[in-house]
Amino acid sequence: MNIIMRRIILLSAVFLVGVLGSGSASPRHEGFTVTVLGAHGGLEDGNLSAYLVQLSGDQGGILLDAGTVLHGLQVAWHKKVLDQPKNVLEKTIRGYAISHAHMDHIAGLIAVSPEDTAKPIYALPSVIMDMTDHVFNNHIWPNMGDSGSEPRVGRYHYSPLVSGKSVPVVGTEMRITAYPLGHGGVESSAFLLETTGGAILYLGDTGPDTVEPGYHLHVLWQGIAPILRMHRLMGIMLECSYDDSRPRKMLFGHLTPSWFMAELHDLQTVSGMNLHGMRVIVTHMKPSLQSPDTSTSVIMGELKEKNDLGVKLIPAQQGQVIHVP
């Protein structure tokens, strides 16, 4: 056998080892899976803000807000997108990230807490204080947490977040970073979930910087701009509660389609990156008793009409699974 043939055989062997070896390695995560347990804000008490985020291919995940939990799990089970509710609650949901303590963001967590397993609650300190003082306080509800008034059940461990500082999400391969938002005089939160493959950004309730004091959204855009420039931001989950007929003085810390697009324009300007094609999941659209069948379609129609950025608008719907990217 000549030297050329020996080299060919050796290179072939190295190639096969590499291929076979790669099959035994952990699967590469290609993005995030968002399962909508609750999509709306306001009136519809069986369909309130709650988004289960997992790395694609992983079992464990984190629930971003928890306005509707059990009913959302039942809807997802009937639609065959999740396992039966008991298994998901006990094994899949590894923790909660609560943007603020308004009832349409925590009601499902309160209701399901007697049957839940021990989990962390990730939140800014002001949100934890609201929950310990006004919810899990042995008056409104038994204290299911590990701080606050006695007696304490201790089922939930409060994990206070520092703005701009990431911490691991226990039981997953994700990290979470919180940023404060303005919401009609209440501190709300945005959460950035990151892994080695990319990131997804979720915003709780928020009003536009022009109305809310503090320019929190502008500061948030500055914080995530480097991730956008590195092409690691795979998607954004942003609220749009009302249509554009809503007067400014009646926003109560929320966005309309015009404000929604104005804030995305600011993100594009701050980052210097073209947002064309960015997946933007539209959350927290509020149904109206005056027009329950058309209010969300009006919001989406106005968003599409004003979408001069070319972002990919995805309306959140209960029981829906959204792959990002």
Side-chain angles (χ1 to χ4, degrees):
M1 184 182 296
N2 61 38
I3 188 169
I4 294 177
M5 286 299 299
R6 287 177 181 174
R7 287 179 178 175
I8 291 173
I9 292 171
L10 179 60
L11 288 171
S12 299
V14 170
F15 174 78
L16 285 173
V17 168
V19 170
L20 293 174
S22 64
S24 62
S26 299
R28 181 169 177 253
H29 298 293
E30 296 296 338
F32 299 86
T33 299
V34 179
T35 306
V36 182
L37 303 189
H40 292 164
L43 301 177
E44 195 174 350
D45 55 6
N47 186 13
L48 300 173
S49 298
Y51 299 88
L52 177 61
V53 179
Q54 301 164 267
L55 291 178
S56 298
D58 271 9
Q59 182 185 29
I62 184 170
L63 196 61
L64 302 177
D65 282 327
T68 295
V69 178
L70 180 58
H71 181 68
L73 292 174
Q74 291 169 335
V75 170
W77 183 37
H78 289 311
K79 289 190 173 185
K80 303 185 187 306
V81 299
L82 286 177
D83 197 0
Q84 60 177 307
K86 182 176 186 295
N87 290 341
V88 177
L89 186 65
E90 292 180 353
K91 299 176 183 178
T92 303
I93 300 174
R94 304 291 170 83
Y96 302 94
I98 303 299
S99 67
H100 62 296
H102 280 169
M103 292 304 293
D104 57 339
H105 293 256
I106 62 170
L109 170 62
I110 297 168
V112 82
S113 61
E115 296 292 326
D116 206 352
T117 52
K119 294 181 176 72
I121 293 178
Y122 303 93
L124 290 172
S126 66
V127 179
I128 293 174
M129 184 179 298
D130 282 343
M131 295 187 71
T132 57
D133 290 355
H134 305 300
V135 181
F136 291 137
N137 60 1
N138 292 311
H139 291 279
I140 301 301
W141 201 259
N143 186 0
M144 308 302 290
D146 60 356
S147 65
S149 62
E150 297 281 3
R152 301 169 185 163
V153 176
R155 180 153 299 159
Y156 299 128
H157 167 66
Y158 293 110
S159 181
L161 300 176
V162 177
S163 176
K165 182 179 179 180
S166 72
V167 299
V169 178
V170 176
T172 77
E173 295 180 28
M174 294 180 284
R175 296 183 67 85
I176 186 169
T177 309
Y179 298 87
L181 297 174
H183 176 40
V186 173
E187 185 174 59
S188 183
S189 320
F191 297 116
L192 181 71
L193 291 176
E194 294 181 89
T195 184
T196 53
I200 186 170
L201 178 68
Y202 170 80
L203 288 81
D205 293 358
T206 186
D209 278 349
T210 306
V211 178
E212 297 288 323
Y215 292 93
H216 292 297
L217 283 168
H218 188 74
V219 173
L220 170 63
W221 303 148
Q222 290 174 325
I224 68 165
I227 298 168
L228 189 55
R229 294 186 194 110
M230 290 186 289
H231 304 283
R232 297 188 63 246
L233 186 64
M234 297 179 173
I236 300 170
M237 303 170 69
L238 181 60
E239 75 118 278
C240 192
S241 296
Y242 303 112
D243 64 48
D244 275 334
S245 68
R246 190 80 173 184
R248 174 172 170 161
K249 65 181 181 180
M250 297 292 288
L251 288 177
F252 304 124
H254 292 293
L255 297 175
T256 64
S258 291
W259 291 117
F260 182 104
M261 296 308 302
E263 293 300 341
L264 289 182
H265 269 279
D266 190 37
L267 171 58
Q268 179 166 281
T269 299
V270 168
S271 66
M273 297 296 295
N274 192 326
L275 293 184
H276 184 85
M278 173 65 69
R279 290 168 177 81
V280 182
I281 301 171
V282 184
T283 67
H284 207 266
M285 290 185 284
K286 290 194 175 192
S288 168
L289 288 178
Q290 283 70 37
S291 54
D293 297 327
T294 61
S295 54
T296 57
S297 62
V298 169
I299 292 171
M300 286 306 304
E302 292 179 349
L303 282 171
K304 291 174 182 177
E305 181 183 349
K306 292 174 170 60
N307 183 17
D308 56 347
L309 292 173
V311 297
K312 183 177 181 181
L313 296 167
I314 305 170
Q317 301 177 55
Q318 190 173 46
Q320 176 186 24
V321 177
I322 305 169
H323 298 284
V324 181

